[in-house]
């Protein structure tokens, strides 16, 4: 029988030549990982020998080879015609008697008396899922297959799919000989995810290659909608070391729209055995799996990754009947895990533009060109080299045209959809899940597609100027102090951690509030009494979270913990919110609660807010979030920074208030640092330091307040210079006070990023750390190393 059929439990990774990559991997996991906690549904595989014997019958192999040898794959029409002919020949070919007999015997055994047993029939090519080649979606999968006749039909369809247009094209482009690739069909018990959820996960961050997270996507129903990119799924990031420590480890949650799901077809005579139906709005507004299930998925992914000793791309499904989570496929991740780690690429826009469409960014690159809106694969000839391909979604048939595009934009899909996978492989920017790109963007319109600004991909009107900067970080020269980074955007944390650094010297909480929350904390605390229109807007924001307040706290936790995890175990100094009243007023519901101040820069901000009766309950939410990150999740590398402390009395009150909220200096290693940004802070440095563990100098406000100028005023902008002697005198005073008290002293203002000579002066003054904007880290580092050598 093993010439034709092999049960999964008798297979391992040494059997790729016998049953292809996918089926060998299923066997490897069943054989080796079942006792370690990885659940894989049972089944069997047809062999490569069976496939070759099938093709050898009646000279079919020779006919196929002759047709392929004469084919010009660059002629799309000829490719379509020849591929269709070959597939039809395969479907008309009878099975050899021995193959049919053994296939039927194995299926009856798998049924184990259950004549209604549903199976998945999956393709597995002998050249597939190798560490240096991704055959994502090249061949077919058939779900909810019932009865031997349908199994036979599906196996033949799987064999025929080796000659899909996309598969023929892919093999030629990647140098695989058609004659040397064989196909195996895997027949596997179905997981009843049609009544639960399924998805894809990677054991690294697909955008940056960061290895310490598991990236999980999930949607309702059978998993093909996620794989195909037909839905915008829920997304989660899980921190591996925190999972291993047995602590809450879900860093990020992104609620997907999940508009449709694939379920078993009720029509028993249907040609396909599944239907696609709409998801109820209430279900769309909540996450389809909970944190416990996300963590369970991450645990199984980590076991698989450890066994294979490489990053993995894994498909999973939750069974609605038994509630268990199963792994249905696992293959090596083939793009980010092979990227050069020692070369830093930075794409930078050099001009501003009007944003016309937004979606999820894939990669970190920028591309521009003329829009080509393509509604159907039949129209893909419209796309010329350098165009921006805009379509609803892609599947593997689109790959020949995707290679021509300078960027890809889709209405549907998440970060694990087909368009995302192929864009990464091709090294071009893609923005997926835009919703309305095919309606908003017009054929021939010039646009710039930017994935260089974080989690959100932006399509700008017009062709904007951008540049690529590359630095090699193999041998960074030594400098006598630590360079940290100013990182406000958690979306970029996994990218930025790869730069040489000593941690985060400034993580702005207001950036998280603005980008990830967007609602005034008072509006969330007083949700029930909000005006109806504002309440409806707020309600949409906190979809997927238990309550408005939980949404605020949990989103803060997500932002802070993402930064903490990305740079762990290095220090991440989180500055408490420093919105001014006009900035708070710009948040949803903000005008209901904020005063109208003539000069908000000098008004209700910083420490004065925290200790006031009107804002204290909002401040306590920030404390709740920080406490959860440090005490529950275990990120004790997070430190707290207090901004805009006007008097020593305010300093004392804020530190006491933090302690009342479970954030006491010294407990669990907590350091509380003060922003030194007013002349009073530097002049009375010794007194302020009695209440804090050090200073981080905010050179922007310190310069503004020392020189008595508004940095936003164009009329006097030329006078704004952190290198002014009066400013430097205050800087020196603050640095020396910290040195005398043996306390931390750093600077996180814009000055050292803009002026490397100021960074050199600070180095000579003996500052501990300089925190720079990420785009200036490498340039400043090399400048300071050269100065030191001189």
């Amino acid at each position: 029988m093993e010439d034709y059929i092999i049960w999964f439990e008798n297979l391992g990774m040494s059997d790729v030549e016998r049953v292809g990559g996918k089926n060998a991997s299923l066997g490897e996991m069943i054989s080796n990982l079942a006792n370690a906690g990885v659940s894989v549904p049972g089944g069997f595989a047809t062999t490569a020998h069976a496939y070759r014997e099938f093709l050898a019958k009646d000279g079919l192999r020779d006919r196929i080879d002759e047709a392929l040898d004469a084919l010009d794959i660059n002629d799309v029409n000829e490719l379509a015609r020849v591929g269709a002919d070959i597939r039809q020949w395969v479907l008309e070919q009878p099975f050899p008697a021995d193959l049919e007999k053994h296939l039927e015997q194995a299926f009856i055994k798998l049924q184990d008396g259950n004549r209604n047993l549903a199976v998945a029939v999956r393709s597995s090519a002998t050249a597939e899922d190798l560490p240096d080649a991704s055959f994502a979606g090249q061949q077919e999968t058939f779900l909810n297959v019932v009865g031997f006749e349908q199994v036979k039909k599906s196996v033949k369809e799987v064999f025929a799919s080796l000659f899909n247009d996309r598969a023929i094209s892919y093999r030629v482009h990647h140098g695989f000989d058609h004659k040397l690739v064989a196909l195996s069909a895997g027949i596997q018990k179905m997981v009843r995810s049609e009544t639960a959820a399924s998805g894809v996960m990677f054991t690294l961050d697909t955008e940056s290659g960061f290895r310490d997270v598991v990236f999980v996507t999930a949607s309702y129903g059978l998993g093909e909608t996620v794989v195909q990119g037909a839905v915008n799924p829920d997304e989660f990031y899980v921190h591996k070391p925190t999972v291993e420590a047995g602590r809450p480890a879900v860093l990020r949650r992104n609620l997907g729209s999940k508009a449709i799901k694939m379920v078993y077809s009720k029509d028993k005579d249907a040609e396909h055995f599944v239907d696609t139906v709409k998801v109820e709005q209430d279900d769309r507004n909540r996450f389809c799996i909970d944190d416990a299930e996300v963590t369970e998925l991450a645990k199984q992914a980590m076991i698989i990754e450890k066994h294979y000793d490489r990053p993995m791309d894994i498909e999973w499904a939750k069974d609605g009947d038994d509630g268990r989570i199963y792994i249905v496929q696992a293959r090596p991740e083939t793009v980010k895990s092979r990227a050069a780690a020692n070369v830093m690429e930075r794409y930078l826009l050099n001009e501003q533009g009007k944003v016309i469409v937004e979606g999820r960014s894939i990669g970190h690159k920028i591309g521009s060109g003329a829009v080509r809106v393509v509604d159907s694969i039949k129209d893909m000839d419209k796309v010329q080299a350098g165009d921006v391909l805009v379509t609803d979604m892609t599947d593997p048939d689109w790959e020949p045209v995707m290679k021509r595009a300078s960027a890809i934009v889709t209405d549907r899909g998440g970060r694990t959809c087909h368009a995302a996978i192929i864009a990464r492989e091709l090294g071009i920017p893609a923005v997926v899940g835009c919703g309305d790109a095919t309606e908003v963007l017009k054929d021939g319109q010039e646009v710039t597609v930017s994935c260089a600004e974080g989690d959100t991909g932006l399509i700008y009107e017009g062709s904007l100027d951008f540049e690529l900067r590359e630095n090699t970080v193999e041998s960074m020269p030594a400098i006598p102090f630590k360079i940290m980074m100013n990182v406000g955007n958690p979306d970029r944390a996994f990218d930025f951690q790869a730069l040489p650094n000593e941690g985060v010297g400034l993580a702005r909480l207001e950036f998280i509030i603005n980008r990830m929350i967007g609602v005034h904390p008072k509006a969330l605390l007083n949700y029930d009494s909000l005006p109806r229109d504002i309440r409806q807007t707020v309600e949409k924001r906190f979809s997927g979270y238990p309550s408005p307040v939980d949404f605020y706290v949990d989103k803060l936790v997500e932002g802070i913990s993402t930064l903490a995890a990305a740079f762990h175990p290095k220090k991440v100094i989180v500055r408490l919110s420093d919105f001014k009243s006009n900035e708070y007023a710009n948040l949803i519901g903000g005008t209901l609660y904020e005063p109208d101040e003539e000069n908000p820069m000098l008004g209700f901000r910083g420490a004065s807010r925290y200790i006031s009766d009107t804002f204290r309950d909002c401040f306590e939410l920030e404390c709740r979030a920080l406490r959860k990150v440090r005490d529950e999740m275990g990120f004790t590398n997070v430190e707290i920074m207090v901004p805009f402390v006007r008097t020593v009395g305010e300093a004392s009150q804020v530190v006491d208030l933090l302690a009342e909220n479970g954030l006491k200096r010294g407990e669990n290693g907590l350091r509380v640092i003060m922003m030194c940004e007013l002349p009073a802070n530097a002049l009375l440095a010794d007194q302020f330091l009695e209440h804090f563990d050090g200073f981080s100098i905010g050179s922007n406000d310190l310069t503004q307040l020392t020189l008595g100028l508004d940095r936003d005023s164009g009329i006097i902008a030329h006078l704004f210079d952190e290198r002014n002697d009066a400013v430097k005198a205050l800087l020196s005073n603050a640095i020396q006070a910290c040195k005398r008290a043996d306390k931390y002293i750093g600077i996180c203002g814009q000055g050292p990023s803009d002026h490397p000579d100021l960074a050199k002066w600070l180095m000579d003054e003996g500052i501990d750390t300089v925190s720079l904007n990420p785009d200036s880290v490498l340039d400043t580092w090399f400048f300071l190393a050269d100065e030191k050598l001189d």
Side-chain angles (χ1 to χ4, degrees):
M1 182 185 248
E2 287 211 345
D3 282 345
Y4 299 94
I5 302 292
I6 308 177
W7 290 89
F8 287 154
E9 58 262 33
N10 298 325
L11 291 168
M13 285 312 297
S14 59
D15 294 306
V16 172
E17 285 301 316
R18 298 173 74 194
V19 295
K22 279 196 193 83
N23 288 336
S25 181
L26 289 170
E28 179 77 13
M29 290 188 290
I30 288 175
S31 305
N32 295 285
L33 301 180
N35 293 332
V38 176
S39 300
V40 180
F44 60 88
T46 64
T47 64
H49 168 80
Y51 170 80
R52 292 190 177 103
E53 186 174 291
F54 170 73
L55 286 193
K57 195 171 186 289
D58 302 327
L60 177 57
R61 174 85 263 178
D62 294 336
R63 274 195 292 160
I64 292 172
D65 291 345
E66 185 179 338
L68 290 176
D69 288 344
L71 172 64
D72 175 8
I73 64 159
N74 294 313
D75 184 332
V76 177
N77 293 324
E78 185 187 355
L79 173 62
R81 180 185 59 78
V82 171
D85 287 346
I86 295 174
R87 293 193 295 276
Q88 190 59 38
W89 299 341
V90 173
L91 294 176
E92 292 171 353
Q93 177 88 333
F95 279 132
D98 284 346
L99 171 57
E100 183 162 344
K101 179 183 73 174
H102 291 304
L103 182 62
E104 184 173 17
Q105 288 174 354
F107 183 63
I108 290 170
K109 183 177 178 182
L110 185 65
Q111 283 180 313
D112 193 24
N114 177 11
R115 297 177 65 85
N116 294 317
L117 177 75
V119 296
V121 181
R122 304 180 187 278
S123 62
S124 181
T126 55
E128 190 171 31
D129 300 332
L130 302 178
D132 57 352
S134 168
F135 282 64
Q138 291 297 330
Q139 280 80 51
E140 299 293 351
T141 292
F142 299 92
L143 304 176
N144 188 30
V145 181
V146 179
F148 181 60
E149 288 304 314
Q150 295 293 358
V151 168
K152 274 202 308 181
K153 181 175 182 290
S154 298
V155 170
K156 208 174 282 189
E157 293 266 14
V158 162
F159 285 178
S161 71
L162 191 62
F163 303 102
N164 285 333
D165 302 355
R166 70 224 184 196
I168 294 170
S169 173
Y170 191 94
R171 287 195 296 275
V172 172
H173 281 297
H174 288 80
F176 288 94
D177 187 337
H178 299 297
K179 302 179 185 68
L180 299 181
V181 181
L183 207 62
S184 163
I187 291 83
Q188 184 180 35
K189 287 181 180 178
M190 279 291 295
V191 178
R192 286 295 302 270
S193 60
E194 64 145 355
T195 55
S198 57
V200 179
M201 56 183 171
F202 289 81
T203 60
L204 46 56
D205 174 38
T206 54
E207 306 314 306
S208 66
F210 181 56
R211 297 285 186 93
D212 280 354
V213 291
V214 177
F215 175 52
V216 179
T217 65
S219 196
Y220 294 113
L222 304 176
E224 289 301 293
T225 54
V226 179
V227 175
Q228 294 167 358
V231 293
N232 300 335
D234 296 337
E235 297 178 350
F236 308 88
Y237 286 95
V238 189
H239 190 229
K240 294 176 187 174
T242 305
V243 171
E244 291 171 341
R247 292 178 176 272
V250 181
L251 301 177
R252 298 283 297 276
R253 302 165 188 84
N254 184 68
L255 187 70
S257 57
K258 306 181 297 295
I260 58 172
K261 65 178 177 178
M262 188 178 285
V263 298
Y264 290 177
S265 176
K266 292 184 170 61
D267 182 359
K268 298 299 182 185
D269 298 322
E271 183 178 346
H272 299 289
F273 316 116
V274 293
D275 290 330
T276 300
V277 299
K278 289 184 177 180
V279 175
E280 294 294 331
Q281 190 64 47
D282 285 350
D283 289 334
R284 294 174 61 179
N285 289 343
R286 61 183 178 86
F287 292 106
C288 63
I289 52 176
D290 60 28
D291 279 10
E293 290 165 333
V294 173
T295 304
E296 170 60 26
L297 282 165
K299 287 178 180 177
Q300 293 203 37
M302 290 161 64
I303 293 167
I304 294 168
E305 179 182 51
K306 185 176 181 181
H307 178 76
Y308 284 91
D309 195 28
R310 63 177 57 137
M312 299 295 288
D313 168 357
I314 300 163
E315 292 180 30
W316 64 271
K318 177 187 173 184
D319 194 299
D321 291 344
D322 64 20
R324 292 178 61 192
I325 287 171
Y326 294 89
I327 304 301
V328 294
Q329 282 188 32
R331 60 178 74 85
E333 193 278 341
T334 59
V335 179
K336 280 299 177 183
S337 53
R338 292 188 289 132
N342 61 333
V343 177
M344 299 299 305
E345 276 190 346
R346 291 175 292 154
Y347 281 77
L348 303 170
L349 273 176
N350 290 328
E351 55 183 321
Q352 297 295 311
K354 178 185 176 184
V355 176
I356 46 180
V357 174
E358 295 185 4
R360 307 305 305 281
S361 62
I362 304 301
H364 61 274
K365 297 184 177 182
I366 300 173
S368 62
V371 167
R372 289 290 172 258
V373 180
V374 181
D375 297 323
S376 164
I377 191 70
K378 297 173 184 173
D379 301 324
M380 65 181 183
D381 281 350
K382 289 170 51 179
V383 180
Q384 302 301 311
D387 285 348
V388 174
L389 171 61
V390 179
T391 188
D392 179 45
M393 57 179 277
T394 68
D395 63 36
D397 286 326
W398 290 71
E399 286 174 35
V401 71
M402 294 168 80
K403 295 178 174 70
R404 301 178 202 158
S406 63
I408 298 167
V409 180
T410 68
D411 285 344
R412 293 191 282 167
R415 286 190 159 166
T416 56
C417 73
H418 176 265
I421 291 170
I422 300 304
R424 289 187 200 102
E425 193 172 314
L426 296 174
I428 58 176
V431 179
V432 301
C434 298
D436 59 357
T438 54
E439 297 173 20
V440 175
L441 301 176
K442 305 303 178 189
D443 229 43
Q445 178 182 12
E446 288 288 328
V447 297
T448 300
V449 178
S450 173
C451 296
E453 297 164 77
D455 204 34
T456 302
L458 304 172
I459 292 88
Y460 291 96
E461 195 171 58
S463 182
L464 303 182
D465 182 51
F466 65 90
E467 64 177 302
L468 166 62
R469 293 185 191 171
E470 290 186 322
N471 292 85
T472 302
V473 294
E474 282 177 306
S475 52
M476 298 296 291
I479 52 177
F481 64 80
K482 297 175 181 179
I483 286 189
M484 301 178 84
M485 281 192 286
N486 303 330
V487 182
N489 186 353
D491 296 347
R492 300 301 307 278
F494 299 150
D495 283 321
F496 292 152
Q497 61 79 32
L499 289 164
N501 70 84
E502 290 295 333
V504 176
L506 172 62
R508 299 177 179 90
L509 213 56
E510 61 270 14
F511 196 104
I512 297 171
I513 295 169
N514 199 35
R515 286 287 295 269
M516 297 175 65
I517 298 171
V519 183
H520 195 288
K522 276 286 189 186
L524 294 165
L525 284 162
N526 299 301
Y527 170 72
D528 291 336
S529 60
L530 289 174
R532 185 181 176 189
D533 58 333
I534 297 177
R535 191 166 69 247
Q536 288 175 335
T537 303
V538 171
E539 184 180 11
K540 291 177 184 175
R541 288 283 177 140
F542 71 81
S543 289
Y545 292 82
S547 73
V549 170
D550 286 318
F551 164 69
Y552 189 81
V553 173
D554 288 349
K555 279 297 179 189
L556 287 177
V557 169
E558 289 175 27
I560 298 165
S561 66
T562 297
L563 293 167
F567 291 88
H568 192 268
K570 299 171 186 172
K571 300 293 187 188
V572 174
I573 302 173
V574 176
R575 186 177 74 185
L576 298 165
S577 62
D578 193 27
F579 276 135
K580 293 167 276 296
S581 55
N582 60 323
E583 294 168 333
Y584 261 123
N586 287 332
L587 297 174
I588 295 168
T591 54
L592 299 174
Y593 305 103
E594 289 299 322
D596 185 14
E597 297 184 286
E598 287 293 326
N599 191 344
M601 181 70 74
L602 301 179
F604 191 38
R605 61 179 291 200
S608 300
R609 261 187 189 269
Y610 312 149
I611 61 178
S612 71
D613 292 337
T614 58
F615 193 80
R616 185 172 298 195
D617 52 355
C618 301
F619 177 69
E620 288 170 355
L621 299 183
E622 296 181 27
C623 294
R624 265 175 63 181
L626 282 159
R627 199 167 63 241
K628 183 173 181 179
V629 171
R630 284 182 48 85
D631 297 347
E632 294 181 33
M633 300 182 77
F635 290 114
T636 53
N637 59 321
V638 168
E639 301 186 336
I640 293 174
M641 181 150 66
V642 182
F644 223 76
V645 185
R646 289 181 168 95
T647 68
V648 176
E650 277 192 344
S652 175
Q653 290 181 71
V654 170
V655 170
D656 289 345
L657 189 56
L658 284 168
E660 288 173 27
N661 282 279
L663 295 167
K664 186 176 181 180
R665 273 181 68 200
E667 275 190 7
N668 205 11
L670 175 62
R671 289 199 311 182
V672 180
I673 293 158
M674 190 187 91
M675 279 285 276
C676 178
E677 53 191 334
L678 292 88
N681 300 152
L683 293 169
L684 301 180
D686 294 325
Q687 295 179 47
F688 279 103
L689 284 170
E690 291 176 15
H691 301 279
F692 294 96
D693 297 298
F695 283 165
S696 183
I697 296 166
S699 57
N700 291 358
D701 274 354
L702 186 62
T703 302
Q704 181 173 231
L705 295 170
T706 301
L707 300 180
L709 55 83
D710 179 355
R711 67 181 189 232
D712 295 327
S713 169
I715 301 169
I716 51 172
H718 63 284
L719 296 173
F720 187 92
D721 191 337
E722 297 92 333
R723 297 166 296 181
N724 178 279
D725 286 342
V727 178
K728 288 170 80 171
L730 292 171
L731 290 172
S732 181
N733 201 52
I735 293 168
Q736 300 317 315
C738 288
K739 289 292 179 187
R740 288 193 301 272
D742 193 25
K743 293 192 174 184
Y744 168 80
I745 178 64
I747 185 168
C748 60
Q750 184 73 22
S753 294
D754 290 344
H755 308 296
D757 57 324
L758 177 62
K760 168 70 166 59
W761 180 82
L762 291 164
M763 180 171 73
D764 294 340
E765 284 286 308
I767 203 162
D768 295 335
T769 70
V770 170
S771 193
L772 303 170
N773 296 334
D775 61 359
S776 64
V777 166
L778 294 176
D779 295 339
T780 305
W781 192 302
F782 285 115
F783 173 85
L784 293 173
D786 291 343
E787 289 290 313
K788 184 174 75 73
L789 292 173
D790 292 344

